[in-house]
Amino acid sequence: MLELEKISTAGQPAFQEQREYWDERWNRQRRPNDWQLRRGQTILELARDLRLKDPKILDLGCATGWFTAQLSGLGKDVTGIDLSEGAIKLAQRDFPEIHYIAGNIFEMNLPAESMDLVVSQEVIAHVPDQHELVRRIARLIKPDGYLIISTANKFVIERWDMGPDPDRHIKQWLTMKSFKKVLKPHFRILKGLSIIPIGDRGILRFLSSYRFNAMLRPLLSGDQIEWLKEKAGLGYSLILLAQKK
Ligand SMILES: C[S@@+](CC[C@H](N)C(=O)[O-])C[C@H]1O[C@@H](n2cnc3c(N)ncnc32)[C@H](O)[C@@H]1O
């Protein structure tokens, strides 16, 4: 059993509570949903385009390990790390050929400058100190190595009725601007994408409405409308490709 800090900082849930939250979540949801698969596909394409030779890859916040398994198609040396011991047990059971570690990235002393690529999907919004997370990730990456990182888009989250979400869960959403700003001390941003347009409040209610989309349909296909919304930064998921400075 991992020994984790039990006292929360600045009124945020402590790591122990976070771990319990994610253990319960991944016990309920063992397989990725369509949005996770779409995000994974986009990130895999970005990673493939880097054309890294025998890269050492870390999937940070890998949950049940489904995406770490996909990354193993790019290089043999792939590791998945997650706070949730329950998720890591499932990952080890389902993908025994891959190296998974249960641990808290804020308390792990991993070898510096050991990774060619770190991928971290939807983790940064759920940690107590985003700047420290980015500093720790940068430390793990070789000079000129890469980071592909995603997070939920604050602009969309604030205009979308997602239903109830427990308090125990740290949520510090980022806009594209604030996301880039957190990375900039350690990384050069090479590419920024927004994918999966969604939302049902404010301006997003209008842009998602049947009336608005029917107006565009004589001119544009459904895929083209979606593409335009993504280009306008209205995607639920923000993805950055960055290179270590
Ligand atoms: C929203 S989930 C994303 C899971 C997966 N990357 C995906 O996209 O399907 C966030 C994950 O980050 C992990 N996580 C949160 N804080 C962590 C920490 N301090 N160290 C390691 N993993 C952490 C959680 O356990 C959880 O599985």
Side-chain angles (χ1 to χ4, degrees):
M1 201 49 146
L2 285 171
E3 269 305 313
L4 293 170
E5 179 62 65
K6 292 194 178 54
I7 301 159
S8 66
T9 48
Q12 288 175 328
F15 282 121
Q16 179 65 32
E17 286 175 273
Q18 291 295 286
R19 194 182 67 185
E20 284 163 13
Y21 172 86
W22 292 113
D23 277 347
E24 192 277 324
R25 163 83 181 266
W26 300 130
N27 190 36
R28 244 185 315 118
Q29 192 212 329
R30 298 187 173 198
R31 295 279 168 262
N33 60 32
D34 287 350
W35 289 353
Q36 287 170 289
L37 289 172
R38 162 84 204 282
R39 178 170 19 91
Q41 183 61 32
T42 306
I43 290 180
L44 212 52
E45 280 164 24
L46 288 173
R48 269 201 204 105
D49 286 350
L50 295 173
R51 302 192 186 289
L52 300 172
K53 202 167 174 298
D54 300 326
K56 246 187 121 174
I57 305 176
L58 172 65
D59 184 8
L60 176 62
C62 65
T64 53
W66 62 275
F67 190 69
T68 326
Q70 294 192 5
L71 283 171
S72 68
L74 299 181
K76 285 189 214 82
D77 200 340
V78 178
T79 302
I81 291 180
D82 201 281
L83 182 64
S84 162
E85 286 184 337
I88 289 295
K89 277 194 190 126
L90 292 170
Q92 285 165 337
R93 184 198 67 186
D94 291 345
F95 310 103
E97 68 287 1
I98 293 173
H99 184 217
Y100 291 104
I101 309 171
N104 174 5
I105 191 65
F106 290 91
E107 295 172 353
M108 295 172 90
N109 194 16
L110 298 163
E113 301 195 346
S114 55
M115 297 291 162
D116 296 287
L117 170 64
V118 173
V119 173
S120 187
Q121 295 189 67
E122 313 293 307
V123 178
I124 193 166
H126 307 297
V127 298
D129 187 340
Q130 299 181 332
H131 293 278
E132 176 61 9
L133 177 75
V134 172
R135 191 192 69 76
R136 281 179 171 262
I137 292 175
R139 183 187 154 273
L140 298 178
I141 299 178
K142 293 178 187 172
D144 292 331
Y146 296 92
L147 168 66
I148 304 177
I149 183 164
S150 78
T151 194
N153 186 349
K154 185 169 193 265
F155 182 85
V156 173
I157 294 276
E158 288 174 347
R159 291 165 183 80
W160 179 35
D161 187 1
M162 280 194 298
D165 203 11
D167 284 344
R168 288 189 293 146
H169 184 194
I170 294 177
K171 288 160 281 186
Q172 304 193 85
W173 309 120
L174 294 164
T175 60
M176 184 55 106
K177 193 173 167 196
S178 54
F179 194 19
K180 287 181 175 172
K181 202 170 164 192
V182 185
L183 259 62
K184 273 185 179 156
H186 303 282
F187 292 94
R188 279 185 293 279
I189 313 289
L190 305 181
K191 205 175 250 187
L193 303 173
S194 99
I195 60 166
I196 313 170
I198 193 156
D200 54 12
R201 285 196 197 134
I203 180 73
L204 296 186
R205 181 177 176 157
F206 173 65
L207 296 178
S208 303
S209 68
Y210 175 80
R211 195 157 60 101
F212 174 72
N213 288 277
M215 244 160 46
L216 295 177
R217 281 314 284 268
L219 306 167
L220 300 167
S221 69
D223 284 351
Q224 285 170 323
I225 297 171
E226 176 139 328
W227 182 87
L228 278 176
K229 289 179 185 174
E230 291 185 346
K231 284 284 163 199
L234 301 176
Y236 161 70
S237 203
L238 302 175
I239 303 173
L240 294 178
L241 165 66
Q243 188 168 28
K244 184 168 163 175
K245 277 184 180 167

